[in-house]
Amino acid sequence: MDTAYCTADGTPYYIANFAQLSESEIASKRRQLICVECRWPAYFKRAATSGQGACFGARPHAPTCSLGAPPSKKGPGSNEVQDILRNPMNHIRIDINYGAHDKVNGDPSDVDKANTRGGRFTGDGPRGPSPMNRRLRPLLKALIESEQFRNSNIIVELPRYTSLPANQLFVNFDAVDEGLANEFRGYWGLIFDTGMSADGSFWLNTGKYDDLSILITPEKYDDFKRKFNFQLDRELEGMHLLVLGKLRKAWSGKLIIDVDDVDRCALCDD
């Protein structure tokens, strides 16, 4: 959207004018933006090196807001999302190998009886359905686009780590609290802004207040940047992030999600 309202100074900003503010003004006002129509929280996304212009967005708008997605684009979402929702096995296995092979569905002989609803192929009848293998980015898109998926009981498994219904495994940044400390979950949501500490730690900040951030340590920063192929740190602002990991509470009271493995992260610039 081209216009957003800033509650800090009571001013509606056109995107071109907001993008020309000083860095300090943008930093202080970007977390105070709301949609000019529905008044739900909005965000600012800078121009990208790819040529995409700066813009405002809201995720989501109020259901009746005319600035949200038109009715023809609402519903179950993209083809990728519909494919996930049509999963006959009701079981998704996360593949973090990111294209190491072209296989979409796993071998039915590799299905664990204890963790799935389908039978294994024994040679005495037709093959039973196997879990659907999906990478993290399509799952992040499903979380963004589909309330049905977010609220579903579809079992989502990360081998050797966890197996939970989607509505328990995935936790939006806005719903994170200290009660989830030390819990392994799929934490996801919008990156509002980024920052680099003096020691080289890279921080992805998730909302209006600095009470929850994602930490990429200096040792992992180069791998993270190489994996997601961005040139400027600020290019991530306004993107959605999914990270599989544990939440911890720092001595200061701040909640932090450490990126222990860059392959357990996904970004979506929707």
Side-chain angles (χ1 to χ4, degrees):
M1 58 188 186
D2 295 328
T3 307
Y5 183 84
C6 178
T7 59
D9 59 10
T11 302
Y13 282 94
Y14 184 68
I15 185 61
N17 297 331
F18 191 86
Q20 291 175 359
L21 296 176
S22 68
E23 287 296 318
S24 60
E25 280 189 283
I26 290 176
S28 65
K29 294 179 179 179
R30 69 184 309 158
R31 301 190 188 193
Q32 313 294 328
L33 298 173
I34 59 175
C35 172
V36 293
E37 181 177 320
C38 67
R39 319 299 274 188
W40 283 26
Y43 61 87
F44 166 67
K45 184 170 177 57
R46 299 175 188 269
T49 55
S50 63
Q52 181 179 350
C55 65
F56 294 119
R59 178 68 73 174
H61 288 274
T64 57
C65 182
S66 67
L67 298 179
S72 62
K73 294 186 178 180
K74 293 181 179 179
S78 66
N79 289 338
E80 281 183 316
V81 175
Q82 293 179 48
D83 189 37
I84 288 172
L85 294 174
R86 285 195 298 261
N87 178 4
M89 185 65 175
N90 211 33
H91 186 154
I92 296 171
R93 181 181 295 148
I94 297 173
D95 172 17
I96 62 171
N97 290 324
Y98 281 87
H101 50 74
D102 295 326
K103 186 168 57 176
V104 173
N105 291 306
D107 184 343
S109 65
D110 191 36
V111 177
D112 182 349
K113 286 182 179 179
N115 293 322
T116 66
R117 298 183 183 179
R120 295 175 64 183
F121 178 62
T122 62
D124 297 326
R127 289 177 181 265
S130 63
M132 172 187 285
N133 281 8
R134 283 295 178 268
R135 293 180 291 173
L136 282 179
R137 191 171 185 276
L139 292 174
L140 175 55
K141 290 190 69 174
L143 289 166
I144 295 168
E145 296 179 14
S146 175
E147 183 178 2
Q148 181 182 347
F149 178 66
R150 295 193 296 269
N151 295 333
S152 75
N153 291 315
I154 294 174
I155 297 297
V156 183
E157 173 193 0
L158 179 63
R160 299 187 301 277
Y161 284 93
T162 189
S163 181
L164 287 170
N167 58 16
Q168 295 180 33
L169 176 62
F170 298 114
V171 183
N172 187 267
F173 294 150
D174 291 340
V176 172
D177 59 35
E178 62 183 37
L180 287 166
N182 300 314
E183 294 291 335
F184 188 97
R185 292 289 188 272
Y187 299 101
W188 72 281
L190 191 71
I191 301 169
F192 271 73
D193 57 29
T194 64
M196 184 73 75
S197 298
D199 66 354
S201 296
F202 185 44
W203 297 89
L204 307 176
N205 301 312
T206 66
K208 185 174 180 180
Y209 304 107
D210 286 326
D211 49 6
L212 173 66
S213 294
I214 292 83
L215 171 62
I216 294 96
T217 60
E219 297 77 18
K220 291 185 172 61
Y221 174 73
D222 286 343
D223 288 340
F224 185 83
K225 190 169 186 177
R226 189 180 306 112
K227 179 178 181 63
F228 295 110
N229 193 31
F230 59 93
Q231 297 181 37
L232 303 175
D233 294 343
R234 67 187 191 186
E235 290 180 48
L236 304 189
E237 297 169 357
M239 288 191 181
H240 281 83
L241 170 74
L242 168 61
V243 55
L244 296 170
K246 284 188 176 182
L247 178 75
R248 66 179 172 92
K249 184 177 180 180
W251 63 268
S252 63
K254 183 182 181 72
L255 297 176
I256 298 171
I257 303 165
D258 295 292
V259 175
D260 294 324
D261 184 344
V262 297
D263 284 337
R264 296 207 303 265
C265 296
L267 284 170
C268 183
D269 184 10
D270 67 329

